[in-house]
Amino acid sequence: MTNEKLYKVLGDINEKYVKEAKEYRKAKNPLWLKWGAMAACLCFAVFGIFVIQRLGGAPGTTIEQPGNSILAVNEVDHVTRLDMDVQISHYTDLSGDEWETVMEAFEQAVGMSYEKFIKKLPVSYQQTAFYSVDAPTSPKSGEYVPHDYVFEFLTEDDGKVKIVICATAEPLRDCFFVCENPKKSEINGATALIYNVQDSFMVQFSHDNVNYDIDTCNITLEEIENLLTCIVS
Amino acid sequence: MDDINIVRLYWDRNEQAITATANKYGNYCISIAKNILGNKEDAEECVNDTYLNAWNSMPPNRPSILSTFLGKIVRNLSFNRYKHNTADKRGGGELPVVLDELTELVSGKDDLEQEIDLKELVKAIDTFLDSLSPEKRSIFISRYWFTDSISEIAIRHGMKDGAVSMTLNRLRLKLHNYLLERGFEL
């Protein structure tokens, strides 16, 4: 048999497995894949199309109390994705002076120091990346400046947490969850929107004039509550 | 619109079926075609042909899983286009590497004497897939059905590229042995 024939034969495998793999692709794709792919390409600009994808299942909101707070988790059945013209700047292997400059820019943009921010987070978080998402100063200008600062972490149980912060506007989003009339949650006086798609949560909130988008994968609602409490305390 | 209603539009010969399919599965079909062909123009043509093909095949078909039904059409059409393109020495996307990997499982000869019951072969592969964990199965199918790149699979599964390649190596070897044990000498 030839490899081409085997490839064709593989096309006839049980459709339930294909469907299962498709769900896997869909579930794991939001944000992580897009940003991950872009981060891998370092400074990489994309212009793309606007796609609306409807996922199966009816949307709804569940009220949960994992710890002290009552959280409204909005189930999402629409994912809207957008490729954006951005560049990623990784802040690794910088010289002392370069790091100093990045820290100054960070503090100026966010209104708090990098160290102060990191100290707010759970100590068990292991940081895996720190970079900025840079947007063009004007269309086709070719000049990009940091719009968002992004931190990625691994949790003790191999969960993934990505925190995107921006003080001047809402963080750029390459993947929107469309949800009509989402219910809000309140944690220590801060109002947050929590969305859930399969094993991912996305949390949007503002605190101390900074806008946060948090994306997680494989972490519990209790861990989300703990993280939010740490940030807003 | 849910799949049942989309299929109903096809059966009613309502052209809205194409729009609904494109809205819901256009991006999905493009990603499969682009993985195989590596260029947007060819991929878009194959996806348009997929809609036409779906229009011509429903009725009589009433697919239970519309996404897989469409995916299968676009995979076949893209693969045919790939073969046509490679005859013209126009390169493909991820497919040449995927085909290289599959070479390990086959003799490369396609003689008529080597009669293999393809239906039985598919059944054996299904049984093999059934024995895998959902994650491994997804990695295998992403690579050999959706023709996804190693790095895409790695990001999706939170693995390093090398780990995905290693997993696929092992799965191919396992499948090879599994098929040999059942008398399939490919």
Side-chain angles (χ1 to χ4, degrees):
Chain A
M1 179 179 278
T2 63
N3 52 0
E4 291 189 353
K5 196 160 182 183
L6 178 57
Y7 180 79
K8 276 194 105 168
V9 168
L10 286 166
D12 289 328
I13 56 168
N14 193 322
E15 57 184 20
K16 77 176 179 193
Y17 299 137
V18 179
K19 190 185 176 204
E20 176 195 68
K22 177 179 175 280
E23 294 302 319
Y24 227 100
R25 290 169 103 224
K26 201 163 59 179
K28 303 283 178 179
N29 272 349
L31 288 163
W32 293 108
L33 176 58
K34 290 262 183 154
W35 286 125
M38 282 197 279
C41 298
L42 203 65
C43 291
F44 174 61
V46 278
F47 295 89
I49 50 167
F50 197 64
V51 179
I52 296 176
Q53 194 176 21
R54 188 189 167 93
L55 306 177
T61 302
T62 52
I63 307 296
E64 313 243 1
Q65 190 168 9
N68 296 325
S69 312
I70 295 171
L71 304 180
V73 180
N74 300 287
E75 303 291 334
V76 170
D77 82 335
H78 283 73
V79 174
T80 306
R81 292 186 184 162
L82 174 68
D83 284 342
M84 293 183 296
D85 175 19
V86 291
Q87 291 186 349
I88 306 293
S89 297
H90 281 276
Y91 301 126
T92 47
D93 300 326
L94 299 182
S95 68
D97 286 348
E98 286 168 333
W99 180 250
E100 200 72 24
T101 311
V102 172
M103 290 301 98
E104 275 173 26
F106 178 89
E107 192 164 348
Q108 207 172 359
V110 179
M112 77 177 120
S113 72
Y114 175 91
E115 285 77 17
K116 190 179 169 191
F117 176 71
I118 292 288
K119 273 187 190 159
K120 281 170 168 267
L121 305 175
V123 283
S124 59
Y125 277 23
Q126 187 194 335
Q127 190 172 348
T128 53
F130 170 53
Y131 53 91
S132 62
V133 178
D134 305 339
T137 49
S138 60
K140 295 182 184 172
S141 67
E143 194 190 337
Y144 291 77
V145 293
H147 188 281
D148 305 334
Y149 287 94
V150 185
F151 299 80
E152 291 185 6
F153 304 91
L154 272 181
T155 67
E156 273 175 321
D157 301 321
D158 282 339
K160 290 176 180 174
V161 176
K162 181 161 73 169
I163 303 174
V164 186
I165 55 179
C166 180
T168 50
E170 290 202 339
L172 296 170
R173 292 165 192 149
D174 69 335
C175 177
F176 295 88
F177 299 147
V178 178
C179 184
E180 280 178 25
N181 305 318
K183 291 208 169 100
K184 292 172 182 168
S185 304
E186 205 170 290
I187 297 145
N188 282 5
T191 304
L193 282 169
I194 302 174
Y195 299 100
N196 175 225
V197 182
Q198 306 215 355
D199 60 356
S200 300
F201 288 103
M202 181 170 178
V203 186
Q204 300 169 354
F205 68 101
S206 299
H207 178 64
D208 277 351
N209 300 319
V210 178
N211 302 306
Y212 293 80
D213 270 10
I214 298 179
D215 301 308
T216 69
C217 197
N218 290 328
I219 81 165
T220 63
L221 200 56
E222 197 174 351
E223 289 173 286
I224 301 248
E225 188 198 9
N226 178 39
L227 170 62
L228 297 182
T229 309
C230 288
I231 293 174
V232 302
S233 61
Chain B
M1 189 180 293
D2 63 33
D3 288 356
I4 292 171
N5 287 326
I6 296 177
V7 172
R8 188 173 296 145
L9 288 174
Y10 278 103
W11 274 71
D12 292 345
R13 310 316 288 155
N14 184 334
E15 286 175 15
Q16 283 297 316
I18 305 286
T19 316
T21 304
N23 284 343
K24 188 166 180 182
Y25 292 114
N27 203 37
Y28 164 74
C29 289
I30 282 278
S31 79
I32 295 172
K34 231 173 133 190
N35 282 348
I36 295 171
L37 292 162
N39 83 74
K40 203 177 153 197
E41 292 74 26
D42 282 356
E44 277 171 356
E45 273 185 42
C46 282
V47 171
N48 285 334
D49 290 347
T50 299
Y51 300 147
L52 182 66
N53 222 304
W55 179 259
N56 290 333
S57 60
M58 288 185 280
N61 286 306
R62 197 184 280 277
S64 55
I65 305 174
L66 184 59
S67 61
T68 309
F69 180 78
L70 295 166
K72 216 164 152 178
I73 296 175
V74 74
R75 187 181 185 270
N76 284 338
L77 290 174
S78 304
F79 185 50
N80 290 341
R81 173 67 69 99
Y82 164 83
K83 286 200 280 188
H84 170 81
N85 286 356
T86 41
D88 286 350
K89 308 260 185 263
R90 288 159 63 192
E94 193 63 25
L95 189 56
V97 196
V98 167
L99 289 176
D100 255 3
E101 291 171 9
L102 291 179
T103 307
E104 297 166 15
L105 292 162
V106 292
S107 66
K109 292 178 204 156
D110 204 11
D111 49 345
L112 292 171
E113 286 166 27
Q114 193 194 17
E115 275 184 27
I116 293 171
D117 186 332
L118 295 182
K119 273 191 183 162
E120 286 302 312
L121 176 59
V122 171
K123 253 193 214 170
I125 296 172
D126 278 341
T127 319
F128 168 77
L129 290 172
D130 198 46
S131 71
L132 302 178
S133 68
E135 179 149 31
K136 290 226 168 95
R137 193 159 53 227
S138 161
I139 291 173
F140 185 89
I141 292 172
S142 293
R143 185 66 171 160
Y144 301 114
W145 203 98
F146 288 102
T147 328
D148 286 335
S149 70
I150 298 278
S151 52
E152 261 179 307
I153 300 170
I155 291 166
R156 191 178 305 141
H157 288 268
M159 295 164 76
K160 291 198 169 152
D161 288 10
V164 172
S165 297
M166 184 65 79
T167 303
L168 288 168
N169 268 332
R170 287 184 184 142
L171 288 173
R172 284 197 305 274
L173 184 65
K174 213 170 154 186
L175 174 61
H176 189 228
N177 293 338
Y178 184 90
L179 293 175
L180 274 181
E181 280 167 19
R182 277 147 192 84
F184 291 102
E185 265 191 70
L186 309 182

